[in-house]
């Protein structure tokens, strides 16, 4: 996959097609490239949608064109305003904008009906009374054509029945309007597909005006043409539907003739991207909501600390291909780590605190050290951190009896406290259960800044710390893959059986440096030696800090 990512970085067949189309002599020569992003407002956008979103908006951006945002509400279900607003927020968060080009598919219902009647009058559509069961029975196979006893119904009769369907005279399933194309076609989408069905259900936008609704394959090209879309960019499952798309454009009186181009969907390991399955996770309480930081939704990734730049870089670098493939989740993490390494402020935090007492440091004395906020961005400046006799350090930074090659604190060993002093461990005090209560050390007052006055070499490690006198308590949530199985979506598996029981670990009473007391979400930080973290946008408050681990420091992606 790594090799494929490198190759795809510079190859985009969609852009090559568009360059041909807008060149002199091309079908769209002299025209503005115009794309659209048509999400169905029945759930939240996830990382899979994001690939399509970046292709649609990014292509328009590349060619100085336009991209519409269109809610695909052809089904007469109750639209949830929450989803519409969330979709808008996600797109804006990624840095894209549709200007005043926001539409609903239902705006074109009148035009779709007009086109349907036009096809009937041309002898290219007919009302069929086969039941859904009969439709399947008469569909035929690769060697047997489909059939319908209603195919040669007179035009006036079909027109009359279609208008009566619209008037609500017939129950659901009694009739459909079918395009008259080719019952023997090797492409089953062309075997006289249904283009209208009866559904006595009110629509969120049109109310009870309609009891017949267009099928998506019929509605899609009409919507595109009405908005003067030049390039209708779709995922690969629509490739077999393209002949029907072109047939509708060719035979209906429409103001434009869009071109449909397909690309492979995004697949990521350890992830499911079916809205139905994601909804199950929410409704069954397997996650805390659509914005749970373990979810592949954009709102979940945002809450976890992902940046717009990291996601856009990910989508750009995996490329646009015709062949379906699965990308490693580790590559998405790699893109985030790259971005945060350049932009995140460095701070000190201790997740599993144990107290370090500097026995020769004057009691009651405090001092401050100036530390850089980001070594990669000198312009981000420095901050002051306080230091006193008692500090918090990570429990794993001390062993009473060291193992081979252990270079942190143990009796007799000297280490650097990040940006402060050299200290030598002198021992520890234990609790009744044998756990470490306190660690004792002596500091070298001549080593301020971590550099000994005598120039001696220190073989011990550099460890981070937090001043116990000024430290703030925090809850820290450590996230891992939601699924332990790399292929939870495989046909032979129940995805719920693939959930990772260790996908969330909550740590209480962590210690963070005082500078974080005034931080606001998302407030992305590198906790030195521990990973990249952000403030939780829902649960964190000034009096109760909550941090989410966005990604670890260790990069497992092999480029």
């Amino acid at each position: 996959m790594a090799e494929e990512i490198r190759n795809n970085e510079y190859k985009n067949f969609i852009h090559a097609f568009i360059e041909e189309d807008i060149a002199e002599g091309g079908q769209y020569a002299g025209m503005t490239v115009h794309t659209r992003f048509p999400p169905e407002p029945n759930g939240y956008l996830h990382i899979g949608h994001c690939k399509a979103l970046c292709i649609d908006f990014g292509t328009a951006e590349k060619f100085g064109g336009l991209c519409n945002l269109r809610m695909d509400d052809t089904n007469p279900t109750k639209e949830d305003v929450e989803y519409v607003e969330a979709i808008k927020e996600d797109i804006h968060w990624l840095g894209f904008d549709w200007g005043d080009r926001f539409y609903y598919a239902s705006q074109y219902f009148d035009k779709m009906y007009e086109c349907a009647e036009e096809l009937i009058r041309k002898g290219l559509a007919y009302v069929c009374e086969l039941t859904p069961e009969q439709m399947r029975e008469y569909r035929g196979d690769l060697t047997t054509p489909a059939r319908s006893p209603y195919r040669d119904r007179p035009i006036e009769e079909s027109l009359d029945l279609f208008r009566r369907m619209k008037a609500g005279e017939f129950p659901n399933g009694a009739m459909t309007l079918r395009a008259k194309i080719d019952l023997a076609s090797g492409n089953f989408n062309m075997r006289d597909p249904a283009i209208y069905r009866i559904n006595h259900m009110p629509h969120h936008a049109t109310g009870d005006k309609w009891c017949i609704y267009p099928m998506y394959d019929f509605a899609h090209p009409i919507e595109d043409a009405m908005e003067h879309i030049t390039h209708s960019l779709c995922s690969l499952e629509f490739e077999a539907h393209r002949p029907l798309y072109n047939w509708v454009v060719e035979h209906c009186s429409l103001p434009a003739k869009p071109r449909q181009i397909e690309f492979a969907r995004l697949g990521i390991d350890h992830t499911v991207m079916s809205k139905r399955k994601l909804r199950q996770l929410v409704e069954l309480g397997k996650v805390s909501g659509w914005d749970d930081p373990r979810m592949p939704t954009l709102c979940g990734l945002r809450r976890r600390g992902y940046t717009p730049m990291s996601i856009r870089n990910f989508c750009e670098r995996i490329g646009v291909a015709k062949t379906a493939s699965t990308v490693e989740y580790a590559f998405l993490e790699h893109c985030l780590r790259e971005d945060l390494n350049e932009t995140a402020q460095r701070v000190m935090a201790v997740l599993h605190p144990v107290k370090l007492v500097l026995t020769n440091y004057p009691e009651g004395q405090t001092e401050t050290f100036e530390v850089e906020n980001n070594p990669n961005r000198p312009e981000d400046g420095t901050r002051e951190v306080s230091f006193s006799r008692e500090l918090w350090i990570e429990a794993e930074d001390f062993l009473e009896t060291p193992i081979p090659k252990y270079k942190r604190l143990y009796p007799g060993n000297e280490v650097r406290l990040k940006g402060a002093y050299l200290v030598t461990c002198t021992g520890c005090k234990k609790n009744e259960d044998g756990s470490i209560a306190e660690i004792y050390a002596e500091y070298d007052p001549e080593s301020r800044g971590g550099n000994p006055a005598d120039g001696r070499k220190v073989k011990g490690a550099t460890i981070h710390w937090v001043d116990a006198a000024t430290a703030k308590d925090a809850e820290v949530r450590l996230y891992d893959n939601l699924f332990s199985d790399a292929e939870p979506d495989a046909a032979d598996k129940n995805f719920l059986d693939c959930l990772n029981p260790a996908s969330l670990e909550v740590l209480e009473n962590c210690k963070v440096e005082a500078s974080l007391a005034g931080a606001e979400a998302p407030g992305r930080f590198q906790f030195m030696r521990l990973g990249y973290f952000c403030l939780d946008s829902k649960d964190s408050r000034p009096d109760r800090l909550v941090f989410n681990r966005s990604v670890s420091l260790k990069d497992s992606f092999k480029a």
Side-chain angles (χ1 to χ4, degrees):
M1 190 66 229
E3 182 66 26
E4 191 172 334
I5 287 168
R6 287 197 297 273
N7 290 339
N8 283 341
E9 205 165 331
Y10 304 100
K11 296 178 183 177
N12 187 327
F13 69 92
I14 292 176
H15 292 169
F17 286 153
I18 293 175
E19 286 172 357
E20 291 178 7
D21 288 344
I22 62 177
E24 186 176 350
Q27 61 181 318
Y28 302 119
M31 295 175 61
T32 298
V33 172
H34 203 152
T35 63
R36 85 289 172 268
F37 178 61
E40 192 173 358
N42 63 350
Y44 290 81
L45 296 185
H46 54 61
I47 188 67
H49 296 118
C50 189
K51 177 181 178 180
L53 191 161
C54 287
I55 290 173
D56 289 327
F57 280 93
T59 296
E61 199 173 74
K62 174 182 174 62
F63 289 96
L66 305 170
C67 184
N68 296 357
L69 175 59
R70 180 201 308 146
M71 296 296 156
D72 172 22
D73 61 343
T74 51
N75 285 323
T77 53
K78 183 179 183 299
E79 178 200 49
D80 197 323
V81 175
E82 175 189 356
Y83 295 140
V84 174
E85 294 307 314
I87 289 169
K88 290 180 176 180
E89 181 182 2
D90 286 340
I91 296 172
H92 276 146
W93 175 70
L94 283 172
F96 297 117
D97 189 70
W98 54 89
D100 59 356
R101 298 174 305 281
F102 176 72
Y103 304 99
Y104 286 92
S106 56
Q107 292 175 226
Y108 309 111
F109 279 173
D110 288 312
K111 181 62 179 179
M112 292 170 194
Y113 180 83
E114 178 186 313
C115 289
E117 283 209 354
E118 178 185 1
L119 292 177
I120 296 172
R121 288 193 297 272
K122 288 179 176 179
L124 295 175
Y126 60 95
V127 171
C128 180
E129 296 179 52
L130 291 177
T131 65
E133 293 75 20
Q134 290 172 324
M135 191 91 75
R136 284 190 291 271
E137 180 184 347
Y138 293 175
R139 195 180 186 202
D141 54 34
L142 290 175
T143 58
T144 308
R147 55 197 172 93
S148 170
Y150 305 99
R151 194 171 200 262
D152 296 322
R153 172 169 261 157
I155 289 175
E156 289 305 318
E157 186 178 332
S158 280
L159 197 57
D160 174 65
L161 286 172
F162 187 54
R163 289 170 178 172
R164 290 166 64 189
M165 286 168 59
K166 178 178 179 288
E169 291 188 27
F170 308 112
N172 290 354
M175 298 177 182
T176 58
L177 181 68
R178 296 176 67 175
K180 194 174 185 178
I181 308 178
D182 181 2
L183 290 177
S185 175
N187 183 341
F188 280 61
N189 296 296
M190 301 295 280
R191 291 192 173 190
D192 289 12
I195 58 176
Y196 261 92
R197 80 286 198 201
I198 301 171
N199 193 338
H200 288 271
M201 181 181 287
H203 189 280
H204 76 94
T206 59
D208 294 320
K209 177 178 178 180
W210 300 95
C211 62
I212 56 171
Y213 292 94
M215 304 298 286
Y216 183 75
D217 278 349
F218 181 63
H220 178 203
I222 295 173
E223 295 157 15
D224 287 346
M226 294 303 293
E227 294 174 15
H228 293 268
I229 301 304
T230 57
H231 296 87
S232 181
L233 310 178
C234 304
S235 48
L236 201 57
E237 67 266 29
F238 289 100
E239 183 173 37
H241 299 249
R242 191 196 325 145
L244 178 54
Y245 182 101
N246 292 338
W247 186 91
V248 173
V249 170
E250 179 184 351
H251 292 98
C252 294
S253 299
L254 297 168
K257 294 186 179 298
R259 176 183 182 180
Q260 179 175 300
I261 304 173
E262 307 84 18
F263 56 87
R265 277 177 178 260
L266 171 63
I268 303 180
D269 63 10
H270 296 92
T271 308
V272 299
M273 285 189 275
S274 154
K275 280 186 185 177
R276 178 181 60 82
K277 291 180 178 179
L278 294 177
R279 185 177 290 107
Q280 271 186 271
L281 292 174
V282 174
E283 292 174 350
L284 293 174
K286 302 298 184 182
V287 293
S288 62
W290 286 95
D291 65 348
D292 187 300
R294 293 166 292 180
M295 290 279 273
T297 53
L298 290 185
C299 56
L301 292 169
R302 181 163 65 245
R303 186 176 171 190
R304 184 156 171 174
Y306 275 79
T307 63
M309 182 60 69
S310 66
I311 292 176
R312 288 183 64 167
N313 282 344
F314 170 75
C315 290
E316 181 179 343
R317 291 164 68 179
I318 60 175
V320 182
K322 269 283 191 183
T323 305
S325 61
T326 301
V327 181
E328 297 172 58
Y329 194 91
F331 183 59
L332 178 60
E333 294 182 320
H334 171 78
C335 291
L336 176 62
R337 197 177 284 109
E338 275 190 337
D339 189 23
L340 293 180
N341 182 54
E342 294 299 316
T343 60
Q345 180 178 324
R346 275 56 169 170
V347 297
M348 290 193 283
V350 176
L351 305 189
H352 301 91
V354 62
K355 187 163 286 186
L356 172 66
V357 180
L358 304 180
T359 55
N360 65 331
Y361 193 91
E363 292 193 38
Q365 178 175 310
T366 61
E367 58 183 310
T368 59
F369 289 89
E370 189 173 295
V371 295
E372 58 191 355
N373 287 324
N374 186 336
N376 296 324
R377 292 170 54 93
E379 65 270 24
D380 287 352
T382 61
R383 70 187 185 286
E384 303 254 311
V385 294
S386 63
F387 185 92
S388 63
R389 190 172 188 266
E390 296 185 353
L391 311 170
W392 295 111
I393 65 169
E394 290 288 345
E396 67 175 19
D397 283 341
F398 171 78
L399 283 180
E400 187 177 13
T401 304
I403 58 176
K405 297 184 180 180
Y406 186 79
K407 295 185 177 182
R408 287 170 271 181
L409 279 173
Y410 58 85
N413 195 43
E414 185 177 49
V415 302
R416 280 186 174 85
L417 296 180
K418 173 68 178 175
Y421 291 106
L422 300 179
V423 300
T424 302
C425 182
T426 57
C428 65
K429 181 174 77 172
K430 295 183 179 180
N431 296 309
E432 290 185 4
D433 62 2
S435 61
I436 304 298
E438 290 182 343
I439 302 163
Y440 301 114
E442 293 183 348
Y443 88 114
D444 177 1
E446 300 300 317
S447 64
R448 183 179 167 86
N451 299 309
D454 59 8
R456 67 184 183 276
K457 293 185 177 181
V458 180
K459 296 181 179 180
T462 298
I463 65 175
H464 65 281
W465 50 274
V466 176
D467 182 11
T470 59
K472 301 299 178 183
D473 291 331
E475 176 185 307
V476 174
R477 300 168 181 174
L478 305 179
Y479 292 100
D480 201 349
N481 288 327
L482 184 56
F483 295 94
S484 51
D485 192 311
E487 299 181 359
D489 224 3
D492 60 341
K493 298 173 186 175
N494 179 344
F495 78 106
L496 294 174
D497 294 335
C498 302
L499 286 166
N500 177 10
S503 63
L504 170 60
E505 181 184 2
V506 179
L507 304 178
E508 304 284 356
N509 300 314
C510 301
K511 310 296 180 182
V512 300
E513 65 175 70
S515 66
L516 293 174
E520 297 181 357
R524 302 178 184 94
F525 304 96
Q526 184 195 103
F527 288 0
M528 292 181 185
R529 300 174 61 216
L530 300 175
Y532 294 97
F533 295 76
C534 72
L535 283 161
D536 186 81
S537 58
K538 288 183 74 172
D539 298 333
S540 187
R541 304 186 303 270
D543 60 336
R544 182 180 176 272
L545 297 174
V546 178
F547 290 92
N548 299 327
R549 183 172 65 186
S550 307
V551 65
S552 64
L553 289 178
K554 185 179 179 181
D555 196 339
S556 61
F557 179 73
K558 304 300 181 184

